[in-house]
Amino acid sequence: MTDESRGIGGTVGPPWSVDVLADLHAGVLDEREAAELWPLVNADPEALAIIEALEATTADLAELANEPVAPMPAEFAARLDAALAAEMRASPAFQGAPQGQRAPVAPVVDLAAARRKRNKRIGWGAGIATVAAAAIAAVAIVVPTTQQTTPGGVAQPPPAPTGPSVGGDGGGAEALVGKAIGVRDFGSLKTEERLDACVAAAGLDSDVRPEGIRPVNVAGKDGVMVIYTTGKLAQFRIVAFGADCGPGNPAILFDKIIGQK
C-alpha cells in the first residue's frame, strides 16, 4: 500500500479506493493500518456509505445459507442415475463381482437434502465436542483464585488469554470490528447462555442481538468482546467481559463507543 489511494504512508482520503475500504471492512489489513484508517473513514460520509453498503452485502450473503435449495429436476436426476449405473456396470470391479455381491448404484440426492444431512452432521460433531469439553472440565479442580490444581495439589496458572491483544481501556479494539462483524465465537465463556448471564449482570438487555462476538486479550486478561449497534451509522458500542463474569459479576474489562460521534 504505497499509492495515494491505498498507502498508509501517503495521503489517505477521498477519492477512496474501494479495494482499501473492502480490505478494511473484511479485517484483512494489519491492526496498525486498520487503527489508522478507521478514524479517517468514520469522518468521511462517502467512505461510510461504502462501508455501509459492504455491511449490507455481507448480511445479504450470509442469509443465502438459509435459503431453500430447489431439488434437482427429476428428468436430470434420472439421466444422472442412468449414467452412473452405466459407468458402474462398465467398471472391471463390478464386472468381476458375483451377481449377488454387486453394489447397487445410489440414487441422486437433491441439494436441499444433502445440505440438511450436512448440517445434521455438523450438529452431531458440535455436540460430541461439547461433551468432550465437559468431560475435560469435570476433572479440573477450580479454586477461588481461578487457578487450577493438579491431582497432587500443585497450583497451575489460569489459561493464557486468546484472541488479539488490545489495551486495558479497549485501545485498538476498533481495528477488530470489521473482522468481528457476523462472528459468534464465545471464547472462554463457551456458550451463549453464559454470555447472557454476563450481559444481564452488566445491566444490558440480553435480548439485543450483538453484531459480533469474539475472544480478545485485554492487557493480558482473557476476555470476550461483544459488539452492539448504537442506531448511528458506522458507530458501535464495544463491551468486553472477563472470563470470570457471570450472575452478579459482570467483570467488564472495558466499555466504549467507537465510530462517528
Side-chain angles (χ1 to χ4, degrees), residues 107-124:
V108 175
V109 181
D110 66 76
L111 294 179
R115 175 179 284 177
R116 288 193 297 269
K117 187 174 183 180
R118 179 204 62 187
N119 290 342
K120 183 179 291 185
R121 287 178 176 173
I122 292 174
W124 290 343

Side-chain angles (χ1 to χ4, degrees), residues 42-43 48 230 232-236 256-261:
N42 289 331
L48 286 177
T230 64
K232 294 185 178 181
L233 179 64
Q235 184 184 84
F236 299 93
K256 63 184 300 185
I257 302 291
I258 66 167
Q260 187 177 10
K261 302 299 184 181

Side-chain angles (χ1 to χ4, degrees), residues 170 173 177 189 195 198-199 202-204 210 212-214 216 218 223-228 236-242 250-258:
V177 170
L189 296 182
L195 175 60
C198 301
V199 170
L204 303 176
I213 304 166
R214 64 166 300 169
V216 67
V218 184
V224 175
M225 184 177 77
V226 185
I227 304 170
Y228 296 99
F236 299 93
R237 180 180 182 181
I238 308 178
V239 184
F241 297 96
I252 294 178
L253 301 178
F254 66 80
D255 182 351
K256 63 184 300 185
I257 302 291
I258 66 167

Side-chain angles (χ1 to χ4, degrees), residues 2 26-27 38 45 53 65 114 125 133 159 171 178-179 184 193 226-227 229 235 257:
T2 56
W38 272 116
K179 189 179 296 185
R184 296 186 68 80
E193 290 74 16
V226 185
I227 304 170
T229 57
Q235 184 184 84
I257 302 291

Side-chain angles (χ1 to χ4, degrees), residues 13-235:
W16 286 89
S17 164
V18 176
D19 288 340
V20 169
L21 295 177
D23 289 347
L24 179 64
H25 177 263
V28 299
L29 301 179
D30 63 47
E31 294 184 9
R32 180 186 62 81
E33 291 178 329
E36 293 180 14
L37 280 179
W38 272 116
L40 299 175
V41 169
N42 289 331
D44 189 322
E46 292 184 1
L48 286 177
I50 296 175
I51 291 293
E52 183 71 10
L54 290 170
E55 290 181 2
T57 301
T58 300
D60 290 342
L61 292 175
E63 288 298 321
L64 290 178
N66 301 320
E67 292 295 323
V69 179
M72 180 181 292
E75 175 188 356
F76 297 111
R79 290 168 59 183
L80 185 55
D81 284 340
L84 290 174
E87 184 69 21
M88 179 67 74
R89 286 192 296 270
S91 67
F94 183 88
Q95 293 176 353
Q99 182 69 28
Q101 298 181 10
R102 294 178 180 177
V105 177
V108 175
V109 181
D110 66 76
L111 294 179
R115 175 179 284 177
R116 288 193 297 269
K117 187 174 183 180
R118 179 204 62 187
N119 290 342
K120 183 179 291 185
R121 287 178 176 173
I122 292 174
W124 290 343
I128 292 172
T130 301
V131 171
I136 294 172
V139 300
I141 302 175
V142 181
V143 296
T145 59
T146 71
Q147 289 186 329
Q148 294 184 346
T149 60
T150 65
V154 179
Q156 298 293 322
T162 59
S165 298
V166 299
D169 60 352
E174 59 272 11
L176 308 177
V177 170
K179 189 179 296 185
I181 295 294
V183 174
R184 296 186 68 80
D185 183 349
F186 299 100
S188 56
L189 296 182
K190 305 295 185 184
T191 66
E192 186 171 11
E193 290 74 16
R194 175 85 182 277
L195 175 60
D196 286 346
C198 301
V199 170
L204 303 176
D205 187 354
S206 58
D207 290 332
V208 176
R209 181 179 175 85
E211 294 299 308
I213 304 166
R214 64 166 300 169
V216 67
N217 178 345
V218 184
K221 295 181 180 179
D222 192 19
V224 175
M225 184 177 77
V226 185
I227 304 170
Y228 296 99
T229 57
T230 64
K232 294 185 178 181
L233 179 64
Q235 184 184 84

